Amino acid sequence: NEPEITTDSNEVEVKFRMGQPVKVTGNLIETSTTKDYSNLLFTQTQGDVVSYIIQLPNPGFYKLQIYALPVSDDSKTLPGVFNYLINCTRAPKPVQPFPKQYAQWKEGCYLYEPLTIPNADGTVNFKAVVPKGKQVAVTVNDTWTQLKNAGSDVWEGAVKIVKNSRVTLNVNYGGDESKYSTLLEYNL
């Protein structure tokens, strides 16, 4: 509830319980340099709880700007609803950018794994909640891997990752089975 947060860890999670479905986004700005670190901010929703997972690259002050609008509102511009000032006193862990989040991701999706992907060859497990998805797939460059529906809008599967690739999480909401929307994009 306090607009100022002090942490000796460089990873923070801020959660809000919402009274209605909302679309949300945010910005993370280092105050001394005005550098945008929004690639170190991950937004997701589980039920009526919206979470902002934040990684802070260096000790210092950061501004977390939160924007939200009811899902029922067709406006393309989300108004600012809250600002936090975060004082990071230590940065003990290295940071790794989160995936880019596209608009449909921010309307009720939740990622269990992976929040980040190391730039190395190997197999990575994906598990995500994608409401109303008929098919969910991960692409690694041009190779598609369909995830399996584990029930309750949860999709999961193991995906072979190739170093220096573009990885996307995609959803088909029905209708034309060849049309998918990108939800998340990882650039390794």
Side-chain angles (χ1 to χ4, degrees), residues 7-19:
T7 181
D8 62 357
S9 168
N10 58 329
E11 189 167 288
V12 176
E13 185 171 11
V14 176
K15 293 183 177 185
F16 293 93
R17 184 168 307 278
M18 300 297 182

Side-chain angles (χ1 to χ4, degrees), residues 98-173:
F98 291 119
K100 178 179 178 181
Q101 302 145 69
Y102 288 86
Q104 289 174 317
W105 174 260
K106 298 176 183 181
E107 295 180 14
C109 296
Y110 187 86
L111 185 65
Y112 290 101
E113 60 181 332
L115 283 177
T116 61
I117 299 175
N119 189 13
D121 294 344
T123 300
V124 173
N125 292 320
F126 278 79
K127 184 176 179 183
V129 175
V130 182
K132 300 178 186 153
K134 301 299 181 211
Q135 296 286 333
V136 176
V138 174
T139 61
V140 179
N141 296 328
D142 294 325
T143 303
W144 287 72
T145 302
Q146 293 290 329
L147 300 184
K148 301 215 182 317
N149 187 335
S152 300
D153 293 325
V154 175
W155 296 84
E156 58 188 6
V159 178
K160 182 162 176 41
I161 302 297
V162 180
K163 189 175 181 178
N164 298 323
S165 58
R166 178 179 177 264
V167 178
T168 61
L169 178 67
N170 312 281
V171 62
N172 172 283
Y173 287 111

Side-chain angles (χ1 to χ4, degrees), residues 15-81:
K15 293 183 177 185
F16 293 93
R17 184 168 307 278
M18 300 297 182
Q20 63 181 318
V22 294
K23 43 190 171 185
V24 296
T25 193
N27 291 326
L28 181 65
I29 310 293
E30 185 175 28
T31 59
S32 65
T33 63
T34 66
K35 183 171 181 183
D36 186 334
Y37 282 105
S38 295
N39 64 335
L40 300 177
L41 172 64
F42 190 76
T43 307
Q44 56 185 359
T45 305
Q46 189 170 36
D48 64 349
V49 177
V50 175
S51 299
Y52 291 86
I53 301 170
I54 305 148
Q55 295 182 72
L56 306 165
N58 304 301
F61 287 91
Y62 295 83
K63 181 168 49 170
L64 171 61
Q65 301 169 313
I66 296 175
Y67 304 87
L69 200 60
V71 169
S72 58
D73 191 315
D74 290 336
S75 177
K76 300 293 183 209
T77 304
L78 278 63
V81 294

